[in-house]
Coordinates of all heavy atoms in Angstrom, one line a residue:
A14 N -7.3 -110.9 7.2 CA -8.6 -110.3 6.8 C -9.4 -109.9 8.1 O -9.6 -110.7 9.0 CB -9.4 -111.2 5.9
R15 N -10.0 -108.7 8.1 CA -10.9 -108.3 9.2 C -12.1 -107.5 8.5 O -11.9 -106.5 7.9 CB -10.2 -107.4 10.1 CG -11.1 -106.7 11.2 CD -10.2 -106.0 12.2 NE -9.4 -104.9 11.6 CZ -9.8 -103.7 11.4 NH1 -11.1 -103.3 11.7 NH2 -9.0 -102.8 10.9
P16 N -13.3 -108.0 8.7 CA -14.5 -107.2 8.2 C -14.6 -105.9 8.9 O -14.5 -105.8 10.1 CB -15.7 -108.1 8.4 CG -15.3 -109.0 9.5 CD -13.8 -109.2 9.4
I17 N -15.0 -104.8 8.2 CA -15.2 -103.5 8.8 C -16.7 -103.3 8.8 O -17.4 -103.1 7.8 CB -14.6 -102.4 7.9 CG1 -13.1 -102.7 7.8 CG2 -14.8 -101.0 8.5 CD1 -12.4 -101.7 6.8
G18 N -17.3 -103.5 10.0 CA -18.7 -103.3 10.2 C -19.3 -104.5 11.0 O -18.5 -105.4 11.4
D19 N -20.6 -104.5 11.2 CA -21.2 -105.5 12.0 C -22.5 -106.0 11.3 O -23.5 -106.4 12.0 CB -21.5 -105.1 13.4 CG -22.3 -103.8 13.4 OD1 -22.7 -103.3 12.4 OD2 -22.5 -103.3 14.6
S20 N -22.6 -106.0 10.0 CA -23.8 -106.4 9.3 C -23.8 -107.9 9.0 O -22.7 -108.5 9.2 CB -24.0 -105.6 8.0 OG -23.0 -106.0 7.1
E21 N -24.8 -108.4 8.5 CA -24.8 -109.8 8.0 C -23.8 -110.0 6.9 O -23.2 -111.1 6.9 CB -26.2 -110.2 7.5 CG -26.3 -111.6 7.1 CD -27.7 -111.9 6.4 OE1 -28.6 -111.1 6.5 OE2 -27.8 -113.0 5.8
L22 N -23.6 -109.0 6.1 CA -22.7 -109.2 5.0 C -21.3 -109.3 5.6 O -20.4 -110.1 5.1 CB -22.8 -108.0 4.0 CG -21.8 -107.9 2.8 CD1 -22.1 -109.1 1.9 CD2 -21.9 -106.6 2.1
D23 N -21.0 -108.5 6.6 CA -19.6 -108.6 7.2 C -19.4 -110.0 7.8 O -18.3 -110.5 7.7 CB -19.5 -107.5 8.3 CG -19.6 -106.1 7.8 OD1 -18.9 -105.8 6.9 OD2 -20.5 -105.4 8.3
E24 N -20.4 -110.5 8.5 CA -20.2 -111.8 9.1 C -20.0 -112.9 8.0 O -19.2 -113.8 8.2 CB -21.4 -112.2 10.0 CG -21.5 -111.4 11.3 CD -20.1 -111.5 12.0 OE1 -19.7 -112.6 12.2 OE2 -19.6 -110.4 12.4
R25 N -20.7 -112.8 6.9 CA -20.5 -113.7 5.8 C -19.1 -113.6 5.2 O -18.5 -114.6 4.9 CB -21.6 -113.5 4.8 CG -23.0 -114.0 5.2 CD -24.1 -113.4 4.3 NE -23.8 -113.7 2.9 CZ -24.3 -113.0 1.9 NH1 -25.0 -111.9 2.1 NH2 -24.0 -113.3 0.6
A26 N -18.7 -112.4 5.1 CA -17.3 -112.2 4.6 C -16.3 -112.7 5.6 O -15.3 -113.4 5.1 CB -17.0 -110.6 4.4
R27 N -16.5 -112.6 6.9 CA -15.6 -113.2 7.9 C -15.5 -114.7 7.7 O -14.4 -115.3 7.7 CB -16.1 -112.8 9.3 CG -15.1 -113.3 10.4 CD -15.8 -113.3 11.8 NE -16.3 -112.0 12.1 CZ -15.7 -111.0 12.6 NH1 -14.4 -111.2 12.8 NH2 -16.3 -109.8 12.9
A28 N -16.7 -115.3 7.5 CA -16.7 -116.8 7.4 C -16.0 -117.2 6.1 O -15.2 -118.2 6.1 CB -18.1 -117.2 7.4
L29 N -16.1 -116.4 5.0 CA -15.5 -116.8 3.8 C -14.0 -116.7 3.9 O -13.3 -117.7 3.5 CB -15.9 -115.8 2.7 CG -15.1 -115.9 1.3 CD1 -15.3 -117.3 0.7 CD2 -15.6 -114.8 0.4
F30 N -13.5 -115.6 4.4 CA -12.0 -115.5 4.5 C -11.4 -116.4 5.5 O -10.3 -116.9 5.4 CB -11.6 -114.0 4.8 CG -11.7 -113.2 3.6 CD1 -12.9 -112.4 3.3 CD2 -10.7 -113.1 2.6 CE1 -13.0 -111.6 2.2 CE2 -10.8 -112.3 1.5 CZ -12.0 -111.6 1.3
E31 N -12.1 -116.7 6.6 CA -11.6 -117.7 7.5 C -11.6 -119.1 6.9 O -10.7 -119.9 7.1 CB -12.5 -117.8 8.8 CG -12.3 -116.6 9.7 CD -12.9 -116.9 11.1 OE1 -13.5 -117.9 11.3 OE2 -12.6 -116.0 12.0
S32 N -12.6 -119.4 6.0 CA -12.5 -120.7 5.4 C -11.4 -120.8 4.4 O -10.8 -121.9 4.2 CB -13.9 -121.0 4.6 OG -14.0 -120.1 3.5
M33 N -11.0 -119.7 3.8 CA -9.8 -119.7 2.9 C -8.5 -119.9 3.7 O -7.7 -120.7 3.3 CB -9.7 -118.3 2.2 CG -10.7 -118.1 1.1 SD -10.5 -116.5 0.3 CE -8.8 -116.6 -0.4
A34 N -8.4 -119.2 4.8 CA -7.2 -119.2 5.6 C -7.0 -120.5 6.4 O -5.8 -120.9 6.5 CB -7.1 -118.0 6.5
Y35 N -8.0 -121.1 6.9 CA -7.9 -122.1 7.9 C -8.4 -123.5 7.5 O -8.6 -124.3 8.4 CB -8.6 -121.6 9.2 CG -8.0 -120.3 9.7 CD1 -8.8 -119.2 9.8 CD2 -6.7 -120.2 10.1 CE1 -8.2 -118.0 10.2 CE2 -6.1 -119.0 10.5 CZ -6.9 -117.9 10.6 OH -6.3 -116.7 11.0
R36 N -8.5 -123.7 6.3 CA -8.8 -125.1 5.9 C -7.5 -125.9 5.9 O -6.4 -125.3 6.2 CB -9.4 -125.2 4.5 CG -8.5 -124.7 3.4 CD -9.2 -125.0 2.0 NE -8.5 -124.4 0.9 CZ -7.4 -124.8 0.4 NH1 -6.7 -125.8 0.9 NH2 -6.8 -124.1 -0.7
E37 N -7.5 -127.2 5.7 CA -6.3 -128.0 5.8 C -5.2 -127.5 4.8 O -5.5 -127.2 3.7 CB -6.6 -129.5 5.5 CG -5.4 -130.4 5.7 CD -5.8 -131.9 5.5 OE1 -7.0 -132.1 5.3 OE2 -4.9 -132.7 5.6
V38 N -4.0 -127.4 5.3 CA -2.9 -127.0 4.5 C -2.1 -128.2 4.1 O -1.6 -129.0 4.9 CB -2.0 -126.0 5.3 CG1 -0.8 -125.5 4.4 CG2 -2.8 -124.8 5.8
S39 N -1.9 -128.3 2.8 CA -1.1 -129.5 2.2 C 0.4 -129.2 2.3 O 0.8 -128.0 2.4 CB -1.5 -129.7 0.8 OG -1.0 -128.7 -0.1
E40 N 1.2 -130.2 2.2 CA 2.6 -130.0 2.2 C 3.1 -129.2 1.0 O 4.0 -128.5 1.1 CB 3.3 -131.4 2.3 CG 3.2 -132.0 3.7 CD 3.7 -131.1 4.8 OE1 4.8 -130.6 4.7 OE2 3.0 -131.0 5.8
A41 N 2.3 -129.4 -0.1 CA 2.7 -128.6 -1.3 C 2.5 -127.1 -1.0 O 3.3 -126.3 -1.5 CB 1.8 -129.1 -2.5
E42 N 1.4 -126.8 -0.3 CA 1.2 -125.4 0.0 C 2.2 -124.9 1.0 O 2.6 -123.7 0.9 CB -0.2 -125.2 0.6 CG -1.3 -125.4 -0.5 CD -2.7 -125.4 0.1 OE1 -2.9 -126.0 1.1 OE2 -3.6 -124.7 -0.5
V43 N 2.7 -125.7 1.9 CA 3.7 -125.3 2.8 C 5.0 -125.0 2.0 O 5.7 -124.0 2.2 CB 4.0 -126.4 3.9 CG1 5.3 -126.0 4.7 CG2 2.8 -126.5 4.8
R44 N 5.3 -125.8 1.0 CA 6.5 -125.6 0.2 C 6.3 -124.3 -0.6 O 7.2 -123.5 -0.8 CB 6.7 -126.8 -0.8 CG 7.2 -128.0 -0.1 CD 7.7 -129.0 -1.1 NE 6.7 -129.5 -2.0 CZ 5.9 -130.5 -1.8 NH1 6.1 -131.2 -0.7 NH2 5.0 -130.9 -2.6
D45 N 5.1 -124.0 -1.1 CA 4.8 -122.8 -1.8 C 5.1 -121.6 -1.0 O 5.7 -120.6 -1.4 CB 3.4 -122.7 -2.3 CG 3.1 -123.6 -3.5 OD1 4.0 -124.1 -4.1 OD2 1.9 -123.9 -3.7
I46 N 4.7 -121.6 0.3 CA 4.9 -120.5 1.2 C 6.4 -120.3 1.4 O 6.9 -119.2 1.4 CB 4.1 -120.7 2.5 CG1 2.6 -120.6 2.3 CG2 4.5 -119.7 3.6 CD1 1.8 -121.1 3.4
R47 N 7.1 -121.4 1.7 CA 8.5 -121.3 1.9 C 9.3 -120.8 0.7 O 10.2 -120.0 0.8 CB 9.0 -122.6 2.4 CG 8.6 -123.0 3.8 CD 8.9 -124.4 4.1 NE 8.7 -124.7 5.5 CZ 8.6 -125.9 6.1 NH1 8.7 -127.0 5.3 NH2 8.4 -126.1 7.3
L48 N 8.9 -121.2 -0.5 CA 9.5 -120.8 -1.7 C 9.3 -119.3 -2.0 O 10.2 -118.6 -2.4 CB 9.0 -121.6 -2.9 CG 9.6 -123.0 -3.0 CD1 8.8 -123.8 -4.1 CD2 11.1 -123.0 -3.3
L49 N 8.1 -118.8 -1.7 CA 7.7 -117.4 -1.8 C 8.5 -116.6 -0.9 O 9.0 -115.5 -1.2 CB 6.2 -117.2 -1.7 CG 5.7 -115.8 -1.9 CD1 6.1 -115.3 -3.3 CD2 4.2 -115.7 -1.7
K50 N 8.7 -117.0 0.4 CA 9.5 -116.3 1.3 C 10.9 -116.2 0.9 O 11.6 -115.2 1.0 CB 9.4 -117.0 2.7 CG 10.2 -116.3 3.8 CD 9.6 -114.9 4.1 CE 10.3 -114.2 5.3 NZ 11.7 -113.9 5.2
A51 N 11.5 -117.3 0.3 CA 12.8 -117.3 -0.2 C 13.0 -116.3 -1.3 O 14.0 -115.6 -1.4 CB 13.2 -118.7 -0.6
R52 N 12.0 -116.3 -2.2 CA 12.1 -115.3 -3.3 C 12.1 -113.9 -2.8 O 12.8 -113.0 -3.3 CB 10.9 -115.5 -4.3 CG 11.0 -116.7 -5.2 CD 9.9 -116.7 -6.2 NE 9.7 -115.4 -6.9 CZ 8.6 -115.1 -7.6 NH1 7.6 -115.9 -7.7 NH2 8.6 -113.9 -8.2
M53 N 11.2 -113.6 -1.8 CA 11.2 -112.3 -1.2 C 12.5 -111.9 -0.7 O 13.0 -110.8 -0.9 CB 10.1 -112.2 -0.1 CG 8.7 -112.2 -0.6 SD 7.6 -112.2 0.8 CE 8.1 -110.7 1.7
E54 N 13.2 -112.8 0.0 CA 14.5 -112.5 0.6 C 15.5 -112.2 -0.5 O 16.4 -111.4 -0.3 CB 14.9 -113.6 1.5 CG 14.1 -113.8 2.7 CD 14.6 -114.8 3.7 OE1 15.7 -115.4 3.4 OE2 14.0 -115.1 4.7
N55 N 15.4 -112.9 -1.6 CA 16.4 -112.7 -2.7 C 16.1 -111.5 -3.6 O 17.0 -110.9 -4.1 CB 16.4 -114.0 -3.6 CG 17.1 -115.1 -2.9 OD1 17.9 -115.0 -2.0 ND2 16.6 -116.3 -3.2
E56 N 14.8 -111.1 -3.7 CA 14.4 -110.1 -4.7 C 13.9 -108.8 -4.2 O 14.0 -107.8 -4.8 CB 13.3 -110.7 -5.6 CG 13.8 -112.0 -6.3 CD 12.7 -112.7 -7.1 OE1 11.6 -112.1 -7.2 OE2 12.9 -113.8 -7.6
R57 N 13.4 -108.8 -3.0 CA 12.7 -107.6 -2.5 C 13.5 -106.6 -1.7 O 13.2 -105.4 -1.5 CB 11.4 -107.9 -1.7 CG 10.3 -108.5 -2.6 CD 9.0 -108.6 -1.8 NE 8.6 -107.3 -1.3 CZ 7.6 -107.1 -0.5 NH1 6.9 -108.2 0.0 NH2 7.2 -105.9 0.0
L58 N 14.6 -107.1 -1.1 CA 15.5 -106.2 -0.4 C 16.0 -105.1 -1.3 O 16.7 -105.5 -2.3 CB 16.6 -107.0 0.3 CG 17.3 -106.3 1.5 CD1 16.4 -106.2 2.7 CD2 18.5 -107.1 1.9
P59 N 15.9 -103.9 -1.0 CA 16.4 -102.8 -1.8 C 17.9 -102.9 -2.1 O 18.6 -103.2 -1.2 CB 16.0 -101.5 -1.1 CG 14.9 -101.9 -0.2 CD 15.1 -103.3 0.2

């Protein structure tokens, strides 16, 4: 995520998306990411 602009709203949006992306990651979430990548490899290749 990258805010387009330099207003107060943009800075608040930056903080929100950074808080989503960079809070502590649980092992369950790591498994979710790996499972989704495995699904992509099995299903998305034309």
Side-chain angles (χ1 to χ4, degrees):
R15 172 175 60 88
I17 303 171
D19 57 3
S20 69
E21 180 186 350
L22 181 62
D23 297 305
E24 288 307 310
R25 288 165 53 206
R27 184 195 306 277
L29 169 62
F30 283 95
E31 284 195 357
S32 70
M33 287 179 61
Y35 301 118
R36 63 172 172 77
E37 185 176 358
V38 182
S39 69
E40 287 306 308
E42 288 173 317
V43 173
R44 287 195 298 270
D45 285 345
I46 292 170
R47 288 170 172 164
L48 286 171
L49 184 55
K50 181 65 170 70
R52 281 186 55 194
M53 285 179 58
E54 293 185 3
N55 290 330
E56 299 173 8
R57 288 191 58 189
L58 197 70

